[in-house]
Amino acid sequence: MGKIEKIWFTNNRIYVLTDDGTEKSRPLEAFPILMDATDKQRNSFIILDEGQSIRWNEIDEDIHISSFDEKKEPNPSNEVARMIEAVGVIDITAFAKMIGMRKSKLDLFRYGIWSPSRESLQKIREGLHRISNRI
């Protein structure tokens, strides 16, 4: 595994170039904290661990080079995304807090990067049901 030499962002993706010439990329949806960050915040990083990790101090995010080996791409038509869309416009940050889930975890479910457990899916369903009954 090479060492990270260069990092850049384009087309809603993060790219790394390693010292062995390998270019890797992941969708920003795979890193919700980075996705929500400003361009200035994204570009304020340091490379640590002998080229194996990237650290963003301002937004408290760390990514290991092995994260770029994951191949799963966003799936905007996943079950969680469809349920949230059916409720309408909601404040995702407030909703995540309401159901006791980190926003970044909920984002990984709604972007289809991760699949929720039955318990997490039930928590999301119940929360959306409570919200839809208030509207």
Side-chain angles (χ1 to χ4, degrees):
M1 182 179 329
K3 295 179 181 182
I4 299 169
E5 283 199 338
K6 182 179 177 184
I7 301 163
W8 70 99
F9 299 87
T10 191
N11 299 325
N12 289 320
R13 296 184 75 83
I14 179 175
Y15 291 83
V16 296
L17 179 66
T18 62
D19 62 351
D20 64 5
T22 303
E23 183 180 300
K24 300 178 178 192
S25 83
R26 294 287 291 135
L28 283 179
E29 290 91 343
F31 310 107
I33 292 171
L34 279 179
M35 188 166 167
D36 290 344
T38 65
D39 287 340
K40 183 178 178 187
Q41 290 170 321
R42 284 186 199 132
N43 288 305
S44 181
F45 59 84
I46 53 176
I47 299 172
L48 300 171
D49 303 323
E50 299 178 5
Q52 298 301 297
S53 299
I54 313 161
R55 169 80 182 151
W56 288 265
N57 285 323
E58 184 178 349
I59 58 175
D60 193 25
E61 177 73 323
D62 298 280
I63 298 174
H64 190 268
I65 192 168
S66 61
S67 299
F68 289 89
D69 295 334
E70 177 67 42
K71 300 300 179 200
K72 190 163 185 181
E73 292 290 317
N75 173 12
S77 64
N78 70 78
E79 184 176 4
V80 173
R82 288 191 308 269
M83 288 189 307
I84 290 172
E85 184 178 312
V87 171
V89 177
I90 63 171
D91 179 335
I92 293 295
T93 302
F95 176 68
K97 186 175 181 178
M98 181 189 93
I99 63 172
M101 187 178 288
R102 289 186 338 271
K103 179 187 177 292
S104 58
K105 183 176 182 178
L106 179 60
D107 283 342
L108 289 168
F109 294 151
R110 76 183 178 120
Y111 297 134
I113 299 295
W114 285 1
S115 297
S117 66
R118 280 195 316 248
E119 295 81 14
S120 292
L121 193 56
Q122 187 61 29
K123 187 185 283 191
I124 294 166
R125 269 194 196 107
E126 289 170 359
L128 290 170
H129 182 72
R130 281 184 287 184
I131 287 175
S132 62
N133 285 337
R134 291 184 203 157
I135 298 174

